[in-house]
């Protein structure tokens, strides 16, 4: 299945800004995060099709996933 | 006070009160610069220092800003610029909250820092700066860490709170306090080339959404640092939000996060649906 993955801020370093990638059916969000070699603890917010989501949620063909790192300085 | 009013009216030129006349009237009638400003604004006379605000902010709105009280929590990278801009804008009272002293590593970006001020409290520098650039503005320095316990006292009578903090747990506590006190919170955060701004109205729970997966630790800013321009950009957007909220004009960043990427120069709006409506939570 095709999943559009959007990465923000530092997550783009050495990766990409946005890409449509192929995953096996019913892949979990957490599996995409680990495939991208992003430590899950660094993910501050996950949005799936514009709604907040959790790593254990399963993806469907055509889903759009956005991953945001922690931005917390002042 | 009728004499003060008459004097201000006599001194006004084309609806503008020159700074020298404002100071002279304050001295002559033994009132503060702030009192003279309030009197002028109530007569529809604009202190001339605000004349270039005029296309964006009219005299009545300038008076609203002058009667406003805004709390700035954190006086570092973001807070320094926020305080500078609020004071120049003419917000009458600014409560500046920060327990820290300036350190050498602040000098690359913190507007209120300078080699001479190393070791001085940040809120003391804020008070000195505001007294220098706009003596009509009252800066209330609070050299203390914000906490849930002192929230009610620190945020008393405040209309808007600005988040210029650098710690997630303190941000979450501040967001919760603002929620329970019915206060609007303008949130800004930075990390290297990146930043974000959003405005949380009471009941929105926006800050909890942004950090919904946070467990511990700081963001990428810990190893990326923060260059001089990122806090200036994010702080300026925060002040624009404060200005609009105080004046009830424009469209604030409510239920949406502005995600700022200065490396690729992309500004992206992320619509936040609300945690309650999120799938699986």
């Amino acid at each position: 299945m095709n999943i559009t993955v959007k990465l923000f801020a530092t997550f783009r370093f050495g990766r990409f800004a946005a890409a449509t990638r192929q995953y096996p059916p019913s892949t979990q969000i957490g599996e995409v995060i680990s495939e991208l070699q992003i430590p899950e603890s660094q993910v501050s917010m996950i949005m799936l099709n514009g709604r907040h989501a959790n790593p254990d949620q399963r993806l469907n063909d055509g889903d759009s996933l956005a991953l945001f790192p922690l931005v917390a300085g002042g | 006070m009728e004499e003060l009013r008459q004097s201000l009216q006599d001194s006004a030129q084309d609806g503008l009160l020159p700074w020298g006349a404002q100071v002279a009237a304050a001295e002559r009638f033994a009132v503060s610069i702030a009192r003279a400003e309030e009197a002028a604004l109530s007569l529809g006379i604009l202190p001339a220092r605000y004349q270039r605000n005029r296309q964006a902010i009219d005299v009545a709105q300038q008076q609203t800003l002058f009667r406003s009280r805004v709390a700035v929590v954190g006086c570092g990278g973001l807070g320094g610029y926020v305080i500078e801009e609020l004071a120049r804008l003419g917000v009458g009272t600014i409560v500046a909250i920060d327990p820290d002293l300036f350190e050498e590593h602040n000098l690359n970006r913190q507007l209120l820092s300078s080699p001479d001020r190393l070791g001085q409290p940040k809120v003391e520098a804020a008070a000195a700066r505001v007294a220098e650039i706009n003596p009509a503005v009252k800066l209330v320095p609070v050299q203390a860490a914000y906490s849930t316990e002192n929230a009610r006292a620190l945020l008393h009578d405040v209309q808007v709170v600005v988040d210029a903090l650098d710690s997630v747990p303190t941000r979450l506590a501040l967001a919760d306090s603002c929620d329970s006190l019915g206060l609007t919170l303008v949130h800004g955060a930075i990390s290297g080339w990146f930043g974000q701004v959003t405005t949380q109205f009471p009941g929105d729970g926006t800050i909890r959404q942004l950090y919904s997966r946070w467990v511990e630790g700081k963001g990428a800013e810990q190893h990326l640092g923060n260059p001089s321009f990122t806090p200036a950009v994010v702080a300026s957007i925060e002040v624009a939000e404060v200005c609009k909220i105080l004046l009830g004009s424009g469209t604030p960043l409510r239920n949406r996060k502005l995600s700022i990427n200065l490396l690729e120069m992309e500004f992206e709006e992320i619509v936040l649906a609300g945690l309650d409506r999120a799938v699986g939570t």
Side-chain angles (χ1 to χ4, degrees), chain A residues 6 8-10 12-13 17 40-41 43-47 50-55 57 68-74, chain B residues 77-78 165-166 171 189-190 194 209-211 213 218-221 224 257 261 264 266 268 271 277-281:
Chain A
K6 282 191 76 173
F8 284 83
T10 47
R12 293 182 180 182
F13 292 166
E40 207 174 281
S41 63
V43 182
S44 183
M45 189 173 84
I46 302 169
M47 296 203 90
R51 287 167 168 246
H52 292 283
N54 293 313
Q57 276 175 246
F68 298 85
L70 188 62
V71 172
Chain B
L78 293 172
L165 288 160
D166 64 354
R171 272 202 170 91
I190 53 174
F194 312 103
Q209 293 179 51
L210 296 186
Y211 297 109
R213 305 210 52 76
K218 290 186 175 260
E221 66 279 359
L224 288 179
K257 174 179 86 162
N261 177 340
E264 279 133 355
E266 290 179 10
E268 194 162 344
V271 175
R277 282 169 284 164
V279 179
T281 55

